[in-house]
Amino acid sequence: MNKPAGRLHFLDAIRAFAILMMLQGHFVHALLEDVSRNKNNLIYSIWEYMRGMTAPTFFTITGFIFTYLLIKQKTSGLENPRVIKGVKRAVKVIFWGYLLRLSLFALAEGTLNPSFFYVDVLQCIGTSLLLLIGVYLISCRTNQCAFKYGVLGIGIIVFLLQPIYNTCVLAYLPDTIANYFTNKNGSVFTLFPWFGYVCFGSFIATMFLKYKDHKMFYVYGILISLCLGVFLMYYSSAVLMDIYHFTKVGVFKAVAYNNFLFIRLGNVFVLFSVFMLLRNYLKHPLINKIGGKTLSIYIIHFFVLYGSWFGLGLSRFFYHDLSPVEAVIGALLFMIGICALVLNYYRYEDDIKTKVYPLWEQAYAKVTSNPYFLDLISGVKSNLVRTFRFFKHALKG
């Protein structure tokens, strides 16, 4: 007989799996030589398909975990402590999304690099959390089921309307705002369709909370996740075409012909079933630690691989230059190195702060006593004013 579900360790494992997949995926995609990017190669095609599962999994699990913690509270609405924590977390994630794309060289010239305004995964996740909180607060005024079926409905609508909003250019909006809705200007991720995965993850969390104490919870959970995953992967396109033939609404046909969203959601459901099946083997503290430090891992990997502020990352020196063997070995070392760096920092965080802060205070005292310091500060202030004016102009379009 299965015991009722306590802490859902498989969620930490899925999150750890997703961040590790992201690390190796970004490394190989950025550094593998062009001649080896052959889609006719079975190994490369499998790797590419698996890499495509990373973002859907990450967004779905984000919606799941946030909602699970949100509605698990005994209070609701603004009295729910997870609302304020969620807003702070979302703002922090958005802030880091922009900060990682900042070029100090452009800032020194009193401007901002064009890529600073591109929307990437962190901005998309942060904004999705804010929208999810908004849906939660609105639904609290009605009944408990409103949130559950509200996020499910939003997720379905977002997926079904993808052929429509995917063609929008939004030239009438400032690029800073339009970048959240279109990738025509260079954004890597956009709010739609990715908010749809967050909504589906949120809906799954409501179902888990409802039935988590059932004695057959995991048995039913594995079977339902597996069946839904297989259905979405292999039969959703046919169903969409049947709906099109019945309703004559062209959007169903358009989605059926390019049905990557529902198929990838099916991948996520299958992944859920696998991790639930292996849940008893996924309780190692290391897995939990990696799954709990995904933001820090993402930030550090961005600096090491892409260079961030200075542009001096691995991709600057080895861009599309590694052989398959070098890429595989490098990806393994990259994953181990980034995770070890982040986890060891948090392990010795107090000691590091104790040793670094006095050195920082001494260095700051020496710098501020230098007669050229005031001139330097004056120049920085001038450039910051120019940067602010540039950013203000960008917002106005």
Side-chain angles (χ1 to χ4, degrees):
M1 181 180 295
N2 284 32
K3 295 181 180 181
R7 177 177 174 84
L8 304 179
H9 291 279
F10 77 93
L11 293 180
D12 297 320
I14 293 177
R15 192 156 55 169
F17 170 79
I19 197 68
L20 292 176
M21 286 288 290
M22 182 216 68
L23 289 176
Q24 64 84 20
H26 285 184
F27 184 93
V28 174
H29 183 262
L31 307 185
L32 180 65
E33 60 187 4
D34 290 324
V35 69
S36 298
R37 299 170 187 263
N38 182 8
K39 294 186 178 182
N40 293 324
N41 183 291
L42 180 61
I43 296 177
Y44 180 80
S45 62
I46 292 174
W47 171 83
E48 190 175 45
Y49 186 86
M50 294 294 292
R51 177 174 177 263
M53 294 172 55
T54 304
T57 301
F58 216 96
F59 279 95
T60 305
I61 203 67
T62 296
F64 187 114
I65 292 175
F66 179 76
T67 301
Y68 189 86
L69 296 175
L70 180 69
I71 63 179
K72 189 179 180 181
Q73 304 296 319
K74 295 181 179 180
T75 55
S76 61
L78 290 174
E79 295 180 358
N80 188 332
R82 284 289 169 179
V83 170
I84 300 301
K85 288 183 180 180
V87 171
K88 291 180 179 179
R89 177 71 173 181
V91 172
K92 178 182 179 181
V93 169
I94 294 172
F95 171 78
W96 271 108
Y98 282 112
L99 190 61
L100 288 175
R101 288 190 164 272
L102 182 67
S103 170
L104 293 183
F105 298 108
L107 187 63
E109 297 176 356
T111 185
L112 291 170
N113 48 301
S115 61
F116 173 81
F117 299 99
Y118 297 167
V119 173
D120 210 330
V121 63
L122 293 186
Q123 294 99 315
C124 199
I125 287 177
T127 309
S128 295
L129 291 180
L130 292 177
L131 288 177
L132 201 58
I133 292 171
V135 175
Y136 168 76
L137 293 176
I138 293 173
S139 64
C140 283
R141 298 178 179 275
T142 54
N143 55 68
Q144 295 181 347
C145 292
F147 178 74
K148 179 196 305 183
Y149 296 111
V151 292
L152 176 62
I154 292 172
I156 293 173
I157 291 172
V158 168
F159 277 21
L160 290 179
L161 295 184
Q162 189 271 339
I164 297 176
Y165 58 71
N166 189 53
T167 58
C168 295
V169 179
L170 305 177
Y172 53 87
L173 289 177
D175 287 351
T176 311
I177 304 299
N179 287 342
Y180 278 88
F181 304 98
T182 177
N183 56 14
K184 305 299 181 183
N185 303 320
S187 290
V188 182
F189 285 84
T190 53
L191 190 56
F192 304 117
W194 297 105
F195 179 56
Y197 285 105
V198 175
C199 288
F200 280 115
S202 180
F203 173 76
I204 298 170
T206 63
M207 301 304 292
F208 266 66
L209 273 171
K210 183 176 180 179
Y211 298 108
K212 68 183 180 68
D213 294 324
H214 193 282
K215 62 180 181 180
M216 298 292 286
F217 171 77
Y218 280 115
V219 174
Y220 291 138
I222 293 169
L223 291 176
I224 292 173
S225 295
L226 183 60
C227 291
L228 279 174
V230 172
F231 170 78
L232 290 171
M233 290 167 59
Y234 296 105
Y235 301 103
S236 58
S237 298
V239 171
L240 287 168
M241 283 302 298
D242 289 339
I243 296 175
Y244 163 70
H245 290 308
F246 181 75
T247 63
K248 302 301 180 183
V249 178
V251 70
F252 292 105
K253 180 180 179 181
V255 175
Y257 280 1
N258 188 28
N259 187 21
F260 66 97
L261 293 175
F262 285 106
I263 290 175
R264 286 304 188 185
L265 183 60
N267 295 158
V268 175
F269 274 115
V270 172
L271 196 65
F272 264 65
S273 66
V274 171
F275 275 81
M276 281 191 287
L277 183 64
L278 300 176
R279 66 191 179 281
N280 292 328
Y281 305 97
L282 302 174
K283 297 180 180 181
H284 195 281
L286 180 61
I287 297 176
N288 296 335
K289 290 177 181 179
I290 294 175
K293 302 298 181 184
T294 53
L295 178 59
S296 299
I297 290 173
Y298 182 90
I299 292 171
I300 297 301
H301 112 281
F302 207 94
F303 276 99
V304 175
L305 186 58
Y306 303 114
S308 195
W309 301 337
F310 304 100
L312 298 176
L314 293 175
S315 60
R316 182 179 181 86
F317 304 102
F318 304 103
Y319 184 72
H320 288 200
D321 192 44
L322 300 185
S323 68
V325 174
E326 292 171 335
V328 170
I329 296 175
L332 289 173
L333 295 175
F334 184 67
M335 288 190 293
I336 295 171
I338 296 297
C339 291
L341 182 63
V342 171
L343 296 183
N344 277 287
Y345 168 79
Y346 283 102
R347 182 181 179 183
Y348 302 106
E349 184 177 12
D350 293 337
D351 292 338
I352 293 173
K353 289 181 178 179
T354 302
K355 294 178 180 179
V356 170
Y357 281 179
L359 295 176
W360 167 258
E361 291 176 353
Q362 293 176 15
Y364 180 77
K366 290 182 180 179
V367 170
T368 53
S369 64
N370 192 298
Y372 297 103
F373 180 72
L374 292 178
D375 292 337
L376 177 62
I377 290 297
S378 177
V380 171
K381 286 183 178 179
S382 176
N383 284 333
L384 286 175
V385 170
R386 292 170 58 193
T387 301
F388 174 76
R389 290 174 179 171
F390 181 87
F391 186 69
K392 185 177 180 181
H393 176 72
L395 286 174
K396 291 182 178 180

